[in-house]
């Protein structure tokens, strides 16, 4: 192994195992600051392409059955989201099976969206499904379209990647919380692979006891519902206490200093923020941008 070759960490392997099949190699590489070729080699090294859990590109009998049963109540995008297929793949399969919709699908109305957003998290999807006369997969797909990520009718969990996106933090931060700060999680098996599931209610309970680890002012309202009442107060508090240099533009000198302190001196993001007058989250976001910039340059 060459001196410049970066070793894979346990956190990166966990992320790779969880997102394999859900994200392209290119996107995984961007998140891990690695090349697409490196991701591919690591997948082979971890034996993720074993016969048991290899990705299936062909349509299965179960998928055809689901398509046939739901073609009149779900559009191609909703069916694709449920089956892990693209809308164009669904459309092609409909032609191959010579299926046809009995009538034009009912469009979502503003009133339906309002009801869904208001009661999701406080009422079950089964209840909302009956009220709106929509299937549960259709509700899950609509929630994702409305920006409510991680809708899970059957497990009640969201993935590490979804949680990181909701909190606007790096996915490695979530893995660090799991390993070092006892963020509760549960290993869940879906189809042919395992992934880490995090219950939203359990997360909020943990967050209330670990407020110093999060910047609540950066978390959009109701991005993880149901959102406890105390979050609103904490969000205002974090916003009031934000660093005075938070909106200050980064200079080339600061970028170089940041990169050196993080990768050469192995300082934490918290330490770097205190030294250069930036928030820990500001340091984290800047590091992410610098990694992507170096990756594409």
């Amino acid at each position: 192994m060459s001196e410049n070759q970066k070793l894979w960490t346990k956190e990166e392997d966990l992320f790779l195992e969880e997102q394999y099949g859900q994200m392209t190699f290119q996107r995984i590489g961007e998140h891990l600051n690695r090349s697409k070729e490196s991701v591919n080699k690591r997948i082979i090294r971890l034996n993720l392409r074993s016969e048991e859990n290899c990705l299936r590109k062909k349509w299965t009998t179960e998928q055809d059955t689901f398509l046939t049963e739901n073609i009149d109540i779900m559009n191609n995008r909703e069916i694709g989201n449920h089956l892990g297929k693209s809308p164009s793949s669904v459309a092609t399969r409909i032609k191959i099976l010579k299926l046809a919709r009995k009538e034009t699908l009912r469009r979502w109305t503003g009133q339906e969206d309002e009801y869904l957003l208001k009661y999701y998290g406080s009422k079950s999807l089964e209840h909302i499904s009956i009220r709106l006369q929509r299937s549960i997969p259709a509700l899950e797909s609509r929630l994702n379209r409305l920006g409510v990520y991680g809708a899970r009718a059957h497990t009640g969990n969201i993935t590490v990647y979804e949680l990181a996106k909701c909190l606007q933090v790096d996915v490695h931060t979530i893995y660090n919380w799991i390993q070092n700060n006892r963020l509760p999680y549960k290993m869940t098996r879906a189809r042919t692979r395992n992934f880490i599931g995090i219950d939203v209610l359990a997360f909020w309970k943990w967050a209330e006891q670990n407020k110093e680890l999060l910047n609540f002012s950066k978390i959009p309202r109701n991005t993880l519902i149901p959102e406890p009442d105390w979050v609103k107060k904490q969000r205002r508090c974090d916003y009031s206490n934000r660093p005075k240099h938070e909106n200050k533009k980064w200079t080339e000198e600061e970028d170089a200093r940041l990169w050196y302190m993080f990768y050469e001196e192995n300082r934490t993001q918290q330490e770097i923020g205190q030294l250069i007058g930036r928030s820990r989250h500001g340091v984290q976001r800047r590091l992410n941008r610098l990694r992507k910039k170096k990756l594409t340059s």
Side-chain angles (χ1 to χ4, degrees):
M1 180 181 295
S2 64
E3 294 182 359
N4 295 328
Q5 189 171 355
K6 187 171 66 171
L7 293 175
W8 282 77
T9 65
K10 292 182 179 179
E11 292 83 359
E12 289 177 318
D13 284 344
L14 280 173
F15 179 82
L16 184 58
E17 291 174 5
E18 182 175 341
Q19 298 304 325
Y20 175 55
Q22 303 300 310
M23 299 171 61
T24 64
F25 290 0
Q26 183 68 36
R27 287 191 62 195
I28 292 175
E30 290 174 356
H31 279 275
L32 299 180
N33 193 25
R34 293 184 179 274
S35 67
K36 183 171 64 175
E37 292 74 18
S38 176
V39 171
N40 185 39
K41 289 180 180 178
R42 191 61 179 175
I43 287 173
I44 297 174
R45 186 71 177 270
L46 295 176
N47 199 29
L48 296 182
R49 285 200 183 113
S50 62
E51 183 177 351
E52 178 185 357
N53 62 4
C54 63
L55 298 179
R56 296 181 178 180
K57 294 185 178 180
K58 293 184 178 180
W59 282 73
T60 65
T61 303
E62 292 78 10
Q63 289 174 327
D64 283 343
T65 300
F66 181 89
L67 174 59
T68 303
E69 293 177 348
N70 292 279
I71 189 173
D72 290 320
I73 58 176
M74 298 172 66
N75 61 35
N76 291 357
R77 182 182 296 277
E78 292 169 344
I79 293 173
N81 287 340
H82 187 82
L83 298 178
K85 303 283 188 180
S86 67
S88 60
S89 176
V90 174
T92 301
R93 193 61 179 174
I94 289 174
K95 292 181 180 179
I96 292 175
L97 297 178
K98 297 181 179 180
L99 301 175
R101 290 187 167 92
K102 296 179 181 179
E103 56 184 25
T104 304
L105 292 175
R106 179 163 53 101
R107 290 181 176 273
W108 281 83
T109 66
Q111 290 81 2
E112 287 179 314
D113 285 344
E114 183 179 355
Y115 182 91
L116 179 59
L117 291 173
K118 181 178 180 180
Y119 291 107
Y120 173 64
S122 59
K123 296 183 181 296
S124 68
L125 286 183
E126 289 81 0
H127 176 90
I128 299 175
S129 173
I130 296 173
R131 176 67 176 79
L132 297 181
Q133 292 296 297
R134 301 275 188 179
S135 68
I136 289 178
L139 296 180
E140 292 175 332
S141 177
R142 189 61 179 176
L143 284 166
N144 285 324
R145 291 274 286 174
L146 293 173
V148 181
Y149 301 102
R152 292 291 183 271
H154 305 295
T155 66
N157 295 331
I158 61 175
T159 67
V160 170
Y161 175 72
E162 289 168 334
L163 180 60
K165 189 172 184 179
C166 290
L167 301 181
Q168 298 186 15
V169 299
D170 187 84
V171 68
H172 294 90
T173 300
I174 308 297
Y175 284 119
N176 182 62
W177 290 344
I178 290 175
Q179 292 191 349
N180 301 321
N181 301 104
R182 298 184 178 180
L183 173 63
Y185 70 95
K186 182 179 180 181
M187 294 302 299
T188 305
R189 184 166 182 81
R191 296 181 184 175
T192 58
R193 67 187 185 91
N194 295 326
F195 69 92
I196 295 177
I198 299 175
D199 182 78
V200 174
L201 294 178
F203 165 77
W204 282 125
K205 184 177 180 180
W206 173 87
E208 187 174 13
Q209 300 172 351
N210 295 272
K211 294 178 181 178
E212 71 281 358
L213 297 178
L214 296 96
N215 184 350
F216 291 87
S217 67
K218 298 295 183 181
I219 304 175
R221 290 183 58 189
N222 294 321
T223 189
L224 286 171
I225 51 180
E227 183 177 285
D229 294 335
W230 61 265
V231 177
K232 183 177 181 181
K233 180 179 179 180
Q234 188 64 40
R235 185 179 285 114
R236 289 198 301 264
C237 180
D238 285 357
Y239 181 79
S240 300
N241 296 328
R242 69 190 187 281
K244 61 180 180 180
H245 297 294
E246 185 177 40
N247 296 322
K248 180 183 175 183
K249 289 186 177 181
W250 287 79
T251 65
E252 292 183 2
E253 291 77 10
E254 284 181 312
D255 284 344
R257 188 183 177 194
L258 167 62
W259 195 264
Y260 182 83
M261 285 193 292
F262 187 77
Y263 285 104
E264 299 297 332
E265 297 182 349
N266 293 320
R267 294 182 182 271
T268 66
Q269 295 174 1
Q270 184 73 31
E271 290 175 331
I272 296 173
Q274 293 173 351
L275 290 172
I276 64 178
R278 301 275 186 174
S279 69
R280 179 172 61 85
H281 298 279
V283 170
Q284 183 184 67
R285 288 194 298 272
R286 191 60 182 176
L287 280 171
N288 289 339
R289 290 183 181 179
L290 290 177
R291 291 190 194 102
K292 292 180 180 179
K293 184 178 180 180
K294 290 179 180 292
L295 186 65
T296 56
S297 61

